[in-house]
Amino acid sequence: MDNIFVPSIKIAKKVEQEFGAPVYLTNVETLKNRIQKMQKNFSWENTKIFYALKANYNPEILKTLKNAGLYGVDAVSPFEIELAKRSGFLPSQIIFTASNPSSEELEFAHKNGVLLNLGSLSEIERFGRLFPSTKVSLRINPESGTGEDKKMNTGGKDSKFGINVSQIQKAKELIDKYKLVLVGLHFHVGSGFYEAQVFKKALEDNAKIALLFENLEFIDVGGGYGVRYKLNEKEIDLKRFSVEVTPILEKLSKEFGKTIELRLEPGKFLVAESTVLLAKITTIKTNGDKKYVGLNTGLNHLIRPSYYGSYHEIINISNPKGKKQKVDIVGNICESGDVFGRERELPEPREGDLVAICTAGGYGASMGSNYNLRPLPAEVLLEKNNELKLVRKRLNFEELLNGLGYKI
Ligand code: LLP
């Protein structure tokens, strides 16, 4: 059975010796397995996967996914478009789904030949004025959303994303006014769901809206497919999503007299489980009733536990057979919220032990920062025959300051 990636003690030690810690370590096999799994499970004849690059924009990871069969990229900023292009994706293989883009950004995407997913009446108006008679897609705000945490729910009438269903008529008027050609409808219910109900309802609503637009080519159902955070956890059943999608797309295809394309925009699903953040225990201390295990990494390298309250499995790689102790695992950043896990049962932690924080490949490095002037970790790929490849170095003092635009 394939599982979330956890390196062996031998590999972890080798990585630490060669590249130091903290370090992000990604298993290439897991990356390949994820993209293939998604392709296999969605059986609609015209399905295209657009990777949500924001989850992890390491160019080597993007290249690995591309070589393993990834079709395209969902970009949210001009630089993401630029990176996708320089990584060999054609403009037709990139879609731009920005949140509140400026007119300059709309222009940048269009001039690069990239289709835009417009998410507000304002964007339709501004884009229509700039580029009448061109193709567009609309991001519809689903009437309800879902996700791992309320900060990851991107639907519901008060959400900041997309065009509310109640505004569709107005959107159509603007589309007609500027002779825009609507080729796609898009929705994204949220990030980290495991059940299909909310997703299915949003798709049904989009299928109804689709009938208003005669040039429709695709429906983009967004990303959000849940991942595993614990060892031996059951995987999301992607087949179920495919089963829900098929009759809706069949019906729509019949109505349009052509096969409507299905677009998927997974981020986390493709990258999260492939990667661990390897860190070292620097300090063991007791304060009051608490035993703290302090690591040489913090919320600047992986913000998910403190920002969303996400659970990430933490494994004592160096002492797997040690007697279990109940501890709080915390970081080295000067913030009380810099906590990776509370009341975890960890095999006897010792200063100098290596720990792996799992499922860290999605929104780990990409949401990282240099807060407290601690540089981001290096990123390393574990390739075939256990070969290691450095795909981002950890910056030294001069490089970091200069990279930030400061002169030193
Ligand atoms: N498409 C759109 C329009 C999105 O807004 C997102 C994520 C995705 C696709 C990809 O979603 P995914 O498959 O990765 O769940 N930082 C959070 C997740 C926020 C995602 C925002 N939008 C995290 O750490 O889990």
Side-chain angles (χ1 to χ4, degrees):
M1 179 189 123
D2 72 307
N3 211 330
I4 59 175
F5 171 58
V6 182
S8 65
I9 172 96
K10 199 166 149 217
I11 296 285
K13 274 198 171 144
K14 194 164 163 229
V15 170
E16 198 259 325
Q17 270 159 17
E18 278 188 42
F19 307 102
V23 57
Y24 272 108
L25 177 65
T26 297
N27 187 12
V28 164
E29 269 318 296
T30 316
L31 281 179
K32 290 185 185 162
N33 166 292
R34 294 289 89 189
I35 180 83
Q36 281 153 11
K37 188 151 243 168
M38 187 151 254
Q39 279 167 334
K40 225 188 297 151
N41 276 285
F42 278 88
S43 52
W44 180 249
E45 57 175 299
N46 190 358
T47 301
K48 290 188 176 132
I49 300 177
F50 287 73
Y51 167 53
L53 188 53
K54 58 178 142 333
N56 188 323
Y57 50 75
N58 185 309
E60 289 289 327
I61 286 182
L62 181 58
K63 199 157 97 189
T64 306
L65 290 171
K66 187 169 191 289
N67 291 339
L70 172 68
Y71 177 81
V73 165
D74 171 46
V76 293
S77 69
F79 282 5
E80 284 196 358
I81 291 178
E82 191 64 35
L83 175 57
K85 278 179 57 189
R86 292 201 200 186
S87 303
F89 291 91
L90 300 170
S92 60
Q93 293 172 306
I94 306 170
I95 188 155
F96 187 54
T97 316
S99 177
N100 302 320
S102 67
S103 298
E104 290 74 23
E105 289 173 341
L106 298 179
E107 211 169 322
F108 178 88
H110 180 71
K111 289 196 167 150
N112 276 280
V114 170
L115 184 73
L116 287 93
N117 247 330
L118 303 173
S120 64
L121 299 179
S122 157
E123 286 161 59
I124 307 176
E125 178 82 54
R126 284 183 282 136
F127 185 80
R129 248 187 267 139
L130 284 167
F131 307 109
S133 309
T134 48
K135 291 186 176 182
V136 291
S137 165
L138 292 189
R139 176 174 184 166
I140 308 298
N141 176 23
E143 279 178 333
S144 54
T146 179
E148 266 168 66
D149 177 65
K150 67 177 187 314
K151 291 197 194 83
M152 294 187 216
N153 181 330
T154 48
K157 80 173 178 23
D158 295 328
S159 158
K160 80 158 179 157
F161 297 103
I163 298 167
N164 277 9
V165 177
S166 62
Q167 296 173 320
I168 294 300
Q169 214 40 55
K170 187 79 191 111
K172 184 165 164 43
E173 281 165 33
L174 288 172
I175 297 251
D176 293 342
K177 177 174 166 192
Y178 293 107
K179 300 193 168 39
L180 296 169
V181 184
L182 185 128
V183 293
L185 285 179
H186 167 280
F187 69 87
H188 174 72
V189 287
S191 186
F193 52 75
Y194 298 83
E195 302 297 332
Q197 298 94 306
V198 180
F199 172 91
K200 184 182 172 194
K201 171 77 173 61
L203 177 57
E204 284 168 348
D205 290 349
N206 271 256
K208 278 185 214 140
I209 295 168
L211 299 176
L212 299 173
F213 299 99
E214 57 186 1
N215 296 304
L216 189 89
E217 292 170 12
F218 69 83
I219 299 258
D220 184 333
V221 296
Y225 309 94
V227 299
R228 295 170 291 185
Y229 291 105
K230 292 183 177 159
L231 292 176
N232 305 318
E233 196 177 330
K234 220 172 124 237
E235 241 191 303
I236 184 173
D237 182 3
L238 287 183
K239 260 253 124 54
R240 283 234 353 252
F241 289 82
S242 177
V243 166
E244 299 292 1
V245 162
T246 303
I248 301 173
L249 286 180
E250 262 169 6
K251 193 158 164 255
L252 212 51
S253 297
K254 213 180 256 167
E255 268 149 5
F256 279 88
K258 62 181 178 192
T259 305
I260 297 295
E261 178 186 317
L262 171 67
R263 293 189 174 191
L264 310 170
E265 280 174 4
K268 251 185 295 208
F269 182 84
L270 297 184
V271 289
E273 297 176 3
S274 68
T275 301
V276 294
L277 175 57
L278 268 185
K280 237 178 174 171
I281 299 177
T282 58
T283 310
I284 305 227
K285 65 190 274 186
T286 306
N287 268 3
D289 296 332
K290 288 264 183 207
K291 181 158 184 176
Y292 284 107
V293 173
L295 306 183
N296 65 351
T297 183
L299 60 76
N300 58 326
H301 295 166
L302 180 66
I303 202 169
R304 303 187 80 259
S306 53
Y307 187 53
Y308 304 115
S310 306
Y311 184 99
H312 285 255
E313 193 79 74
I314 302 173
I315 294 169
N316 187 349
I317 298 267
S318 303
N319 193 22
K321 299 209 166 83
K323 190 162 176 281
K324 291 208 169 140
Q325 297 182 356
K326 196 177 271 184
V327 294
D328 280 14
I329 300 157
V330 295
N332 60 357
I333 292 297
C334 299
E335 295 277 348
S336 298
D338 184 22
V339 176
F340 287 112
R342 289 205 192 273
E343 313 223 319
R344 296 290 182 92
E345 294 274 345
L346 205 63
E348 189 196 353
R350 305 161 304 188
E351 293 182 356
D353 280 355
L354 272 175
V355 300
I357 308 178
C358 301
T359 318
Y363 308 99
S366 71
M367 287 178 79
S369 78
N370 303 303
Y371 186 40
N372 283 199
L373 266 195
R374 292 188 187 278
L376 288 165
E379 292 174 41
V380 172
L381 294 188
L382 175 62
E383 301 190 306
K384 258 215 307 266
N385 305 324
N386 288 339
E387 275 169 32
L388 298 172
K389 181 173 171 191
L390 180 68
V391 287
R392 180 180 59 186
K393 65 170 276 196
R394 193 166 198 207
L395 301 184
N396 64 31
F397 180 74
E398 273 80 18
E399 290 163 337
L400 176 60
L401 270 285
N402 293 333
L404 290 171
Y406 300 117
K407 293 225 176 345
I408 194 84

